[in-house]
Amino acid sequence: MLLIRRMLRPVREAFEKQKRFVWDASHELKTPLAVIAANADVLAGEVGESESLSYIRAEIGHADALIRNLLALARMDDGAARARFQTFDLGRALLGAALPFESTVFEAGKTLKTDVPDGVLLRGDAEMIGQLATILLSNALKYADAGSEITLFLRESGAKRVFGVHNFGPAIPPDEQARVFDRFFRGSAVRADGDGCGLGLSIAQTIARLHRGTISVKSTEKDGTTFTVTLPG
């Protein structure tokens, strides 16, 4: 046991240094990004809106999302949110996450269906579960076919709570399905539109694991794409 501990010590130290670097670098990047955003607003007021400014603001948005995701992962790696576990209404948390999407889905020419029963309780962090649902809904909205339906569902399976999001759209290739939860992995569809930083689904998986659960994906051209989260009750 002593030998194993000595062998693993460099690995643990390297992992801790990596976490600290991600945390420190993300915090350090927030200030210059805020300065750039503020100056872009001032410039827009002085010279008016332009295509170049719209590009700058778009990249600021991407960088801000990346930093927020990195900080979220760093906090989750530390397990800091475990102390906030309590029993809550899972259905209400999921519907709360879906509510802001209703107008966006409508404007995109798609529909949002919720198949979420009342009274399904879960012990966990309601805010994190809401974040997980938001990630899955955002993905579905982005890749769902025009005019198609996005479904948020919840059901009980014995002592387990199962929820997820289904949409019809381009299938995730089989060789990518096993990697979509890897950090910074960007599938062919994401690379094609140049959007995304490859952290959303990794955060979703981290949240599921913090709740002692799992998240999986099934995707075919015929049946569409379903991300399913299974959690102990």
Side-chain angles (χ1 to χ4, degrees), residues 28-44 52-53 55-61 63-64 67:
E28 290 297 323
L29 286 170
K30 289 175 66 177
T31 299
L33 190 64
V35 172
I36 294 171
N39 279 276
D41 290 338
V42 171
L43 190 59
S52 296
L53 271 174
Y55 289 149
I56 291 173
R57 283 176 166 165
E59 292 306 316
I60 290 172
D64 182 62
I67 290 170

Side-chain angles (χ1 to χ4, degrees), residues 6-230:
R6 288 177 182 174
M7 292 173 62
L8 291 177
R9 186 180 302 159
V11 177
R12 287 197 299 268
E13 291 176 352
F15 182 64
E16 289 300 322
K17 288 179 180 178
Q18 181 189 54
K19 288 196 300 183
R20 176 51 55 187
F21 171 77
V22 169
W23 181 266
D24 291 344
S26 299
H27 270 287
E28 290 297 323
L29 286 170
K30 289 175 66 177
T31 299
L33 190 64
V35 172
I36 294 171
N39 279 276
D41 290 338
V42 171
L43 190 59
E46 292 178 351
V47 302
E49 295 291 343
S50 67
E51 187 176 13
S52 296
L53 271 174
S54 68
Y55 289 149
I56 291 173
R57 283 176 166 165
E59 292 306 316
I60 290 172
H62 293 157
D64 182 62
L66 173 60
I67 290 170
R68 285 187 284 105
N69 286 336
L70 285 171
L71 287 171
L73 280 172
R75 285 193 296 268
M76 291 175 193
D77 282 341
D78 281 338
R82 293 174 189 263
R84 296 202 297 267
F85 277 25
Q86 57 186 341
T87 301
F88 66 95
D89 188 318
L90 177 56
R92 183 176 300 176
L94 295 179
L95 292 175
L99 184 61
F101 281 89
E102 291 182 350
S103 59
T104 309
V105 170
F106 177 77
E107 291 173 2
K110 305 168 187 180
T111 57
L112 176 61
K113 175 185 176 182
T114 55
D115 182 11
V116 178
D118 296 327
V120 179
L121 302 180
L122 177 73
R123 180 164 181 78
D125 188 309
E127 182 178 344
M128 291 177 69
I129 293 298
Q131 183 182 5
L132 196 167
T134 297
I135 291 169
L136 299 185
L137 286 166
S138 296
N139 268 16
L141 174 59
K142 183 176 181 180
Y143 295 111
D145 289 334
S148 66
E149 184 177 79
I150 299 168
T151 303
L152 171 67
F153 62 87
L154 167 66
R155 62 179 182 269
E156 293 182 88
S157 179
K160 296 181 179 180
R161 311 291 185 257
V162 181
F163 71 90
V165 176
H166 171 269
N167 71 274
F168 286 103
I172 302 172
D175 61 318
E176 293 184 3
Q177 291 183 32
R179 303 179 60 199
V180 293
F181 301 106
D182 293 348
R183 295 184 182 185
F184 299 107
F185 176 75
R186 299 169 75 245
S188 53
V190 178
R191 292 194 298 270
D193 62 26
D195 197 9
C197 57
L199 284 175
L201 289 175
S202 179
I203 292 174
Q205 184 183 60
T206 301
I207 292 173
R209 286 177 173 173
L210 282 175
H211 288 77
R212 297 179 291 112
T214 61
I215 182 171
S216 60
V217 59
K218 290 185 178 179
S219 183
T220 65
E221 293 290 346
K222 177 183 177 182
D223 299 324
T225 299
T226 303
F227 282 90
T228 304
V229 180
T230 304

